[in-house]
Amino acid sequence: NAGVTQTPKFQVLKTGQSMTLQCAQDMNHEYMSWYRQDPGMGLRLIHYSVGAGITDQGEVPNGYNVSRSTTEDFPLRLLSAAPSQTSVYFCASSYSKGGLGTQYFGPGTRLTVL
Amino acid sequence: KNQVEQSPQSLIILEGKNCTLQCNYTVSPFSNLRWYKQDTGRGPVSLTIMTFSENTKSNGRYTATLDADTKQSSLHITASQLSDSASYICVVSFNQAGTALIFGKGTTLSVSS
């Protein structure tokens, strides 16, 4: 199993550009989520999905969109990048709705918005 | 306000020594508490998950304790190794679905030889 994979590893954008961060898992997990990690702060939930076709907002959803057309993939779209979105983004998945299921994180995407 | 506070912020110990990291939370209602290890430049890796009824859970040289009455948890690392150098993050879930997670800022542990 590859586990949770994320692409790209690094990305530099200009303000106003859009892009999609990719996330895929091969563990048949129903629950997937996106977090951002900023210096001096804990991880914060952006969006999550409890299954294909179902998504919901987390703590900091503004400026981001998600979709879940398959169990395996959960892309995160930045609509119009802003410097405040400079961060490290982590995708995670678990086999239950996170209740007591072990959460597996991807390696992260380091995004810089100029 | 739901919060997770960790202490110390950073810690340096010698290889082979033990250490204990602290986590205090003001999260309600409480579902479960997790400890993660995050190596520099990597994603967090789950160490333990404890529910309200569990006091202790071990994973190799890592032992987590939970006192739900005082809302405190600790992570004890025994016989530290250089590979234990990482950030240790305490996470509290306040809904059964696990969609509501509050992450602490982490304790950065450095193990030196």
Side-chain angles (χ1 to χ4, degrees), chain B residues 25-44:
Chain B
Y25 61 93
T26 55
V27 176
S28 183
F30 173 86
S31 175
N32 59 75
L33 185 143
R34 306 151 181 252
W35 283 95
Y36 289 90
K37 178 187 179 188
Q38 184 176 21
D39 293 317
T40 301
R42 308 286 293 271

PDB file of all heavy atoms in Angstrom, chain B residues 25-44:
ATOM      1  N   TYR B  25      -6.343  20.008  28.401  1.00  0.00           N
ATOM      2  CA  TYR B  25      -7.365  20.388  27.442  1.00  0.00           C
ATOM      3  C   TYR B  25      -8.607  20.918  28.130  1.00  0.00           C
ATOM      4  O   TYR B  25      -8.921  20.572  29.263  1.00  0.00           O
ATOM      5  CB  TYR B  25      -7.731  19.209  26.528  1.00  0.00           C
ATOM      6  CG  TYR B  25      -8.293  18.003  27.239  1.00  0.00           C
ATOM      7  CD1 TYR B  25      -9.667  17.842  27.398  1.00  0.00           C
ATOM      8  CD2 TYR B  25      -7.451  17.009  27.736  1.00  0.00           C
ATOM      9  CE1 TYR B  25     -10.195  16.737  28.034  1.00  0.00           C
ATOM     10  CE2 TYR B  25      -7.967  15.897  28.372  1.00  0.00           C
ATOM     11  CZ  TYR B  25      -9.326  15.767  28.531  1.00  0.00           C
ATOM     12  OH  TYR B  25      -9.833  14.671  29.167  1.00  0.00           O
ATOM     13  N   THR B  26      -9.264  21.814  27.435  1.00  0.00           N
ATOM     14  CA  THR B  26     -10.552  22.329  27.887  1.00  0.00           C
ATOM     15  C   THR B  26     -11.519  22.122  26.739  1.00  0.00           C
ATOM     16  O   THR B  26     -11.988  23.073  26.116  1.00  0.00           O
ATOM     17  CB  THR B  26     -10.466  23.817  28.269  1.00  0.00           C
ATOM     18  OG1 THR B  26      -9.933  24.549  27.149  1.00  0.00           O
ATOM     19  CG2 THR B  26      -9.574  24.025  29.473  1.00  0.00           C
ATOM     20  N   VAL B  27     -11.755  20.850  26.429  1.00  0.00           N
ATOM     21  CA  VAL B  27     -12.610  20.474  25.307  1.00  0.00           C
ATOM     22  C   VAL B  27     -13.825  19.748  25.846  1.00  0.00           C
ATOM     23  O   VAL B  27     -13.711  18.826  26.642  1.00  0.00           O
ATOM     24  CB  VAL B  27     -11.854  19.558  24.322  1.00  0.00           C
ATOM     25  CG1 VAL B  27     -12.793  19.085  23.206  1.00  0.00           C
ATOM     26  CG2 VAL B  27     -10.653  20.281  23.732  1.00  0.00           C
ATOM     27  N   SER B  28     -14.983  20.156  25.379  1.00  0.00           N
ATOM     28  CA  SER B  28     -16.214  19.527  25.822  1.00  0.00           C
ATOM     29  C   SER B  28     -17.244  19.537  24.705  1.00  0.00           C
ATOM     30  O   SER B  28     -17.391  20.564  24.018  1.00  0.00           O
ATOM     31  CB  SER B  28     -16.756  20.262  27.054  1.00  0.00           C
ATOM     32  OG  SER B  28     -17.913  19.639  27.545  1.00  0.00           O
ATOM     33  N   PRO B  29     -17.962  18.437  24.486  1.00  0.00           N
ATOM     34  CA  PRO B  29     -17.783  17.164  25.177  1.00  0.00           C
ATOM     35  C   PRO B  29     -16.539  16.440  24.670  1.00  0.00           C
ATOM     36  O   PRO B  29     -16.062  16.707  23.584  1.00  0.00           O
ATOM     37  CB  PRO B  29     -19.055  16.401  24.783  1.00  0.00           C
ATOM     38  CG  PRO B  29     -19.399  16.942  23.431  1.00  0.00           C
ATOM     39  CD  PRO B  29     -19.030  18.397  23.472  1.00  0.00           C
ATOM     40  N   PHE B  30     -16.045  15.528  25.468  1.00  0.00           N
ATOM     41  CA  PHE B  30     -14.813  14.813  25.137  1.00  0.00           C
ATOM     42  C   PHE B  30     -15.145  13.475  24.491  1.00  0.00           C
ATOM     43  O   PHE B  30     -15.990  12.736  24.978  1.00  0.00           O
ATOM     44  CB  PHE B  30     -14.003  14.591  26.415  1.00  0.00           C
ATOM     45  CG  PHE B  30     -12.794  13.722  26.216  1.00  0.00           C
ATOM     46  CD1 PHE B  30     -11.595  14.267  25.796  1.00  0.00           C
ATOM     47  CD2 PHE B  30     -12.859  12.364  26.474  1.00  0.00           C
ATOM     48  CE1 PHE B  30     -10.490  13.476  25.614  1.00  0.00           C
ATOM     49  CE2 PHE B  30     -11.743  11.554  26.299  1.00  0.00           C
ATOM     50  CZ  PHE B  30     -10.558  12.120  25.873  1.00  0.00           C
ATOM     51  N   SER B  31     -14.480  13.154  23.388  1.00  0.00           N
ATOM     52  CA  SER B  31     -14.661  11.860  22.744  1.00  0.00           C
ATOM     53  C   SER B  31     -13.412  11.001  22.902  1.00  0.00           C
ATOM     54  O   SER B  31     -13.494   9.881  23.401  1.00  0.00           O
ATOM     55  CB  SER B  31     -14.999  12.032  21.268  1.00  0.00           C
ATOM     56  OG  SER B  31     -15.068  10.781  20.631  1.00  0.00           O
ATOM     57  N   ASN B  32     -12.297  11.497  22.426  1.00  0.00           N
ATOM     58  CA  ASN B  32     -11.058  10.745  22.583  1.00  0.00           C
ATOM     59  C   ASN B  32      -9.853  11.683  22.499  1.00  0.00           C
ATOM     60  O   ASN B  32      -9.982  12.831  22.055  1.00  0.00           O
ATOM     61  CB  ASN B  32     -10.949   9.625  21.548  1.00  0.00           C
ATOM     62  CG  ASN B  32     -11.001  10.139  20.115  1.00  0.00           C
ATOM     63  OD1 ASN B  32     -10.031  10.706  19.611  1.00  0.00           O
ATOM     64  ND2 ASN B  32     -12.135   9.947  19.460  1.00  0.00           N
ATOM     65  N   LEU B  33      -8.711  11.175  22.945  1.00  0.00           N
ATOM     66  CA  LEU B  33      -7.480  11.960  22.926  1.00  0.00           C
ATOM     67  C   LEU B  33      -6.404  11.146  22.219  1.00  0.00           C
ATOM     68  O   LEU B  33      -6.258   9.947  22.459  1.00  0.00           O
ATOM     69  CB  LEU B  33      -7.031  12.306  24.353  1.00  0.00           C
ATOM     70  CG  LEU B  33      -5.806  13.224  24.493  1.00  0.00           C
ATOM     71  CD1 LEU B  33      -5.972  14.162  25.670  1.00  0.00           C
ATOM     72  CD2 LEU B  33      -4.516  12.455  24.577  1.00  0.00           C
ATOM     73  N   ARG B  34      -5.679  11.825  21.351  1.00  0.00           N
ATOM     74  CA  ARG B  34      -4.651  11.163  20.547  1.00  0.00           C
ATOM     75  C   ARG B  34      -3.318  11.858  20.733  1.00  0.00           C
ATOM     76  O   ARG B  34      -3.261  13.068  20.960  1.00  0.00           O
ATOM     77  CB  ARG B  34      -5.026  11.259  19.057  1.00  0.00           C
ATOM     78  CG  ARG B  34      -6.394  10.752  18.730  1.00  0.00           C
ATOM     79  CD  ARG B  34      -6.993  11.471  17.522  1.00  0.00           C
ATOM     80  NE  ARG B  34      -8.333  10.972  17.237  1.00  0.00           N
ATOM     81  CZ  ARG B  34      -8.629  10.211  16.211  1.00  0.00           C
ATOM     82  NH1 ARG B  34      -7.703   9.867  15.347  1.00  0.00           N
ATOM     83  NH2 ARG B  34      -9.856   9.779  16.028  1.00  0.00           N
ATOM     84  N   TRP B  35      -2.276  11.077  20.594  1.00  0.00           N
ATOM     85  CA  TRP B  35      -0.925  11.607  20.503  1.00  0.00           C
ATOM     86  C   TRP B  35      -0.352  11.223  19.144  1.00  0.00           C
ATOM     87  O   TRP B  35      -0.484  10.078  18.714  1.00  0.00           O
ATOM     88  CB  TRP B  35      -0.029  11.042  21.607  1.00  0.00           C
ATOM     89  CG  TRP B  35      -0.245  11.673  22.949  1.00  0.00           C
ATOM     90  CD1 TRP B  35      -1.057  11.217  23.951  1.00  0.00           C
ATOM     91  CD2 TRP B  35       0.376  12.854  23.462  1.00  0.00           C
ATOM     92  NE1 TRP B  35      -0.987  12.055  25.039  1.00  0.00           N
ATOM     93  CE2 TRP B  35      -0.111  13.058  24.766  1.00  0.00           C
ATOM     94  CE3 TRP B  35       1.304  13.768  22.944  1.00  0.00           C
ATOM     95  CZ2 TRP B  35       0.295  14.138  25.562  1.00  0.00           C
ATOM     96  CZ3 TRP B  35       1.709  14.834  23.723  1.00  0.00           C
ATOM     97  CH2 TRP B  35       1.213  15.012  25.024  1.00  0.00           C
ATOM     98  N   TYR B  36       0.273  12.214  18.509  1.00  0.00           N
ATOM     99  CA  TYR B  36       0.930  11.997  17.233  1.00  0.00           C
ATOM    100  C   TYR B  36       2.403  12.377  17.352  1.00  0.00           C
ATOM    101  O   TYR B  36       2.768  13.260  18.132  1.00  0.00           O
ATOM    102  CB  TYR B  36       0.325  12.880  16.127  1.00  0.00           C
ATOM    103  CG  TYR B  36      -1.054  12.502  15.681  1.00  0.00           C
ATOM    104  CD1 TYR B  36      -2.180  13.046  16.306  1.00  0.00           C
ATOM    105  CD2 TYR B  36      -1.255  11.640  14.608  1.00  0.00           C
ATOM    106  CE1 TYR B  36      -3.450  12.722  15.868  1.00  0.00           C
ATOM    107  CE2 TYR B  36      -2.522  11.315  14.172  1.00  0.00           C
ATOM    108  CZ  TYR B  36      -3.613  11.858  14.810  1.00  0.00           C
ATOM    109  OH  TYR B  36      -4.875  11.528  14.372  1.00  0.00           O
ATOM    110  N   LYS B  37       3.222  11.742  16.529  1.00  0.00           N
ATOM    111  CA  LYS B  37       4.623  12.117  16.368  1.00  0.00           C
ATOM    112  C   LYS B  37       4.801  12.679  14.965  1.00  0.00           C
ATOM    113  O   LYS B  37       4.348  12.066  13.986  1.00  0.00           O
ATOM    114  CB  LYS B  37       5.536  10.894  16.541  1.00  0.00           C
ATOM    115  CG  LYS B  37       7.016  11.190  16.331  1.00  0.00           C
ATOM    116  CD  LYS B  37       7.823   9.895  16.338  1.00  0.00           C
ATOM    117  CE  LYS B  37       9.304  10.198  16.099  1.00  0.00           C
ATOM    118  NZ  LYS B  37      10.094   8.964  15.905  1.00  0.00           N
ATOM    119  N   GLN B  38       5.435  13.851  14.876  1.00  0.00           N
ATOM    120  CA  GLN B  38       5.662  14.442  13.562  1.00  0.00           C
ATOM    121  C   GLN B  38       7.151  14.732  13.382  1.00  0.00           C
ATOM    122  O   GLN B  38       7.699  15.618  14.044  1.00  0.00           O
ATOM    123  CB  GLN B  38       4.847  15.725  13.373  1.00  0.00           C
ATOM    124  CG  GLN B  38       4.985  16.305  11.967  1.00  0.00           C
ATOM    125  CD  GLN B  38       4.101  17.514  11.735  1.00  0.00           C
ATOM    126  OE1 GLN B  38       3.665  18.183  12.660  1.00  0.00           O
ATOM    127  NE2 GLN B  38       3.806  17.787  10.456  1.00  0.00           N
ATOM    128  N   ASP B  39       7.781  13.995  12.503  1.00  0.00           N
ATOM    129  CA  ASP B  39       9.165  14.266  12.138  1.00  0.00           C
ATOM    130  C   ASP B  39       9.210  15.497  11.244  1.00  0.00           C
ATOM    131  O   ASP B  39       8.256  15.793  10.524  1.00  0.00           O
ATOM    132  CB  ASP B  39       9.769  13.071  11.415  1.00  0.00           C
ATOM    133  CG  ASP B  39       9.926  11.855  12.313  1.00  0.00           C
ATOM    134  OD1 ASP B  39      10.374  12.037  13.470  1.00  0.00           O
ATOM    135  OD2 ASP B  39       9.608  10.741  11.872  1.00  0.00           O
ATOM    136  N   THR B  40      10.339  16.194  11.268  1.00  0.00           N
ATOM    137  CA  THR B  40      10.492  17.409  10.471  1.00  0.00           C
ATOM    138  C   THR B  40      10.247  17.112   8.991  1.00  0.00           C
ATOM    139  O   THR B  40      10.825  16.178   8.440  1.00  0.00           O
ATOM    140  CB  THR B  40      11.898  17.994  10.661  1.00  0.00           C
ATOM    141  OG1 THR B  40      12.090  18.273  12.052  1.00  0.00           O
ATOM    142  CG2 THR B  40      12.065  19.277   9.871  1.00  0.00           C
ATOM    143  N   GLY B  41       9.357  17.892   8.395  1.00  0.00           N
ATOM    144  CA  GLY B  41       9.079  17.742   6.976  1.00  0.00           C
ATOM    145  C   GLY B  41       8.197  16.563   6.615  1.00  0.00           C
ATOM    146  O   GLY B  41       8.052  16.237   5.437  1.00  0.00           O
ATOM    147  N   ARG B  42       7.599  15.928   7.596  1.00  0.00           N
ATOM    148  CA  ARG B  42       6.748  14.768   7.342  1.00  0.00           C
ATOM    149  C   ARG B  42       5.358  15.008   7.940  1.00  0.00           C
ATOM    150  O   ARG B  42       5.137  15.925   8.724  1.00  0.00           O
ATOM    151  CB  ARG B  42       7.347  13.512   7.981  1.00  0.00           C
ATOM    152  CG  ARG B  42       8.792  13.243   7.639  1.00  0.00           C
ATOM    153  CD  ARG B  42       8.966  12.725   6.235  1.00  0.00           C
ATOM    154  NE  ARG B  42       8.402  11.418   6.032  1.00  0.00           N
ATOM    155  CZ  ARG B  42       9.053  10.285   6.239  1.00  0.00           C
ATOM    156  NH1 ARG B  42      10.300  10.314   6.688  1.00  0.00           N
ATOM    157  NH2 ARG B  42       8.484   9.132   5.991  1.00  0.00           N
ATOM    158  N   GLY B  43       4.418  14.147   7.586  1.00  0.00           N
ATOM    159  CA  GLY B  43       3.097  14.221   8.178  1.00  0.00           C
ATOM    160  C   GLY B  43       3.073  13.553   9.543  1.00  0.00           C
ATOM    161  O   GLY B  43       3.916  12.720   9.856  1.00  0.00           O
ATOM    162  N   PRO B  44       2.102  13.923  10.395  1.00  0.00           N
ATOM    163  CA  PRO B  44       2.004  13.294  11.720  1.00  0.00           C
ATOM    164  C   PRO B  44       1.710  11.802  11.617  1.00  0.00           C
ATOM    165  O   PRO B  44       1.037  11.351  10.676  1.00  0.00           O
ATOM    166  CB  PRO B  44       0.825  14.033  12.370  1.00  0.00           C
ATOM    167  CG  PRO B  44       0.693  15.311  11.615  1.00  0.00           C
ATOM    168  CD  PRO B  44       1.100  14.983  10.213  1.00  0.00           C
TER     169      PRO B  44
END
